[in-house]
Amino acid sequence: MAAAAAIRWCAVVSAVILFSLLISPSTAIYCDEDDCYDLLGVTQSANASEIKKAYYKLSLKHHPDKNPDPESKKLFVKIANAYEILKDEDTRAQYDYAIEHPEEVFYNTARYYQAYYGHKTDTRAVLIGLLLVLSAFQYLNQWTRYNQAIEMVKKTPAYKNKLRALELERSGGTTNKKKSNKQMSKKLEEDFSKELDLQIKGAEMPSVWELVGVRFVLLPYTIGKLLLWSGCWFWRYKVKKAPYSWEDASYLTQRSLGASLDAWRTVDDATKEDLVHRRLWEKPNLESYMSEMRKESKRRR
């Protein structure tokens, strides 16, 4: 219910903002409801010198140090803002375009914010901030998934049976049902949870090295390492025609079978050795092996 209410509230706020943008003139983002030229008392065809003279004349008249009237102070702020817009050729051109094309609300608004805030923001700071935010969300998401997976595993009968077996092993085959033993069981449960870290696939404990920000920082190192590895591979096996080492042959076999690294690690050594000797990275050998597997599967049915 709370989530639905929040979604409705966000939709209403977005609709109000959109409606206000549509009904308000695009020039209002520059000098509010006023005309920047009218505030300085000049025409739209006035040159830079005329605009500057008009501003200095009005600023002397309405400056808070010379005129204590509160209304005059507000007018001075508007005059200063109008001058900031009209003294710059690019900003003035954007303002003139907004006057001539008031229907292009979103385009004029985007140009205004780009002109006023785009040049003030360091691109490097934006990139660093974006990476930090993404990394924080990524870490939070992974940590949440990991904790949820741990809680689900703790509710399974298999976990409870292993916990009892571990408790019996620690207690020498005897179980004490005293009240104080509950604390011991809690400690044993925490110890056993640590042993589950590498057993939960798809919801591993978050690692700083896997964060998008860290990976981005290490990207040059990663690319350099990959290029070096590719160069060594090409020289050793394509140029010198050397036989594949066990590790490289194992890698080729794993890739040929389309197996993930975790799945390949679960294969026993004897099976790995047999698969490597079959040279499955060569297409005829792989096709022959897959044909054997299909026949074996049909036979078992």
Side-chain angles (χ1 to χ4, degrees):
M1 292 295 288
I7 293 172
R8 286 196 298 270
W9 175 250
C10 290
V12 171
V13 172
S14 301
V16 170
I17 294 174
L18 180 62
F19 183 71
S20 63
L21 284 173
L22 291 174
I23 64 173
S24 61
S26 56
T27 54
I29 58 177
Y30 288 90
C31 293
D32 294 330
E33 300 300 327
D34 300 306
D35 185 289
C36 295
Y37 292 103
D38 290 343
L39 285 170
L40 295 178
V42 296
T43 62
Q44 192 171 348
S45 59
N47 57 37
S49 178
E50 292 172 338
I51 291 173
K52 188 175 182 179
K53 287 179 181 179
Y55 167 69
Y56 281 129
K57 183 179 178 180
L58 291 171
S59 64
L60 288 173
K61 179 181 178 181
H62 297 285
H63 196 280
D65 293 340
K66 297 185 178 293
N67 194 335
D69 184 12
E71 293 300 323
S72 183
K73 182 179 179 181
K74 293 179 181 178
L75 183 58
F76 174 78
V77 173
K78 291 184 177 182
I79 292 170
N81 179 59
Y83 179 65
E84 287 294 322
I85 292 169
L86 298 181
K87 75 174 183 179
D88 183 78
E89 291 183 4
D90 294 335
T91 311
R92 182 181 178 182
Q94 291 179 9
Y95 179 65
D96 291 342
Y97 184 89
I99 293 175
E100 296 172 5
H101 303 85
E103 73 283 355
E104 299 182 17
V105 178
F106 294 106
Y107 176 71
N108 293 326
T109 304
R111 294 183 71 190
Y112 169 81
Y113 285 111
Q114 182 182 10
Y116 271 84
Y117 299 104
H119 67 282
K120 298 177 183 178
T121 306
D122 190 347
T123 306
R124 293 169 296 181
V126 174
L127 179 60
I128 292 173
L130 180 62
L131 289 174
L132 288 175
V133 171
L134 290 176
S135 298
F137 276 110
Q138 181 185 5
Y139 189 86
L140 181 62
N141 177 58
Q142 291 179 352
W143 187 257
T144 303
R145 289 178 57 194
Y146 173 74
N147 285 333
Q148 289 176 346
I150 287 290
E151 293 302 320
M152 290 180 64
V153 169
K154 286 181 178 180
K155 295 177 181 178
T156 60
Y159 171 83
K160 293 178 180 178
N161 291 336
K162 289 182 179 180
L163 181 61
R164 292 193 193 97
L166 183 62
E167 190 174 3
L168 287 171
E169 181 183 343
R170 297 283 177 87
S171 61
T174 59
T175 304
N176 191 354
K177 296 184 179 181
K178 289 183 179 180
K179 204 170 184 180
S180 60
N181 197 50
K182 291 183 179 179
Q183 295 178 353
M184 175 63 73
S185 297
K186 214 169 189 180
K187 185 177 181 303
L188 288 173
E189 188 172 350
E190 290 176 1
D191 293 342
F192 190 69
S193 297
K194 295 176 183 178
E195 298 176 17
L196 292 174
D197 291 347
L198 300 177
Q199 300 179 22
I200 304 175
K201 295 181 181 179
E204 293 79 8
M205 179 178 285
S207 172
V208 176
W209 301 105
E210 297 297 324
L211 297 180
V212 63
V214 177
R215 288 197 168 195
F216 181 82
V217 172
L218 296 177
L219 187 60
Y221 167 76
T222 305
I223 294 175
K225 186 177 179 181
L226 179 61
L227 292 175
L228 179 62
W229 179 85
S230 300
C232 292
W233 184 284
F234 181 80
W235 174 257
R236 183 182 301 167
Y237 300 124
K238 299 297 182 182
V239 178
K240 297 182 68 176
K241 303 294 183 181
Y244 291 113
S245 65
W246 169 260
E247 291 79 8
D248 292 338
S250 179
Y251 164 74
L252 289 172
T253 305
Q254 172 204 336
R255 192 178 65 174
S256 300
L257 293 173
S260 65
L261 184 59
D262 290 335
W264 182 250
R265 285 173 178 169
T266 60
V267 179
D268 60 88
D269 293 338
T271 304
K272 281 183 182 179
E273 188 173 356
D274 177 61
L275 292 174
V276 169
H277 284 310
R278 285 174 176 263
R279 301 177 65 86
L280 297 181
W281 54 87
E282 298 176 1
K283 191 174 181 180
N285 296 340
L286 179 62
E287 290 176 350
S288 176
Y289 173 74
M290 298 304 293
S291 178
E292 290 179 15
M293 291 297 100
R294 284 192 291 268
K295 289 179 181 179
E296 180 67 19
S297 178
K298 289 180 181 180
R299 188 185 65 80
R300 290 180 178 179
R301 291 177 186 174

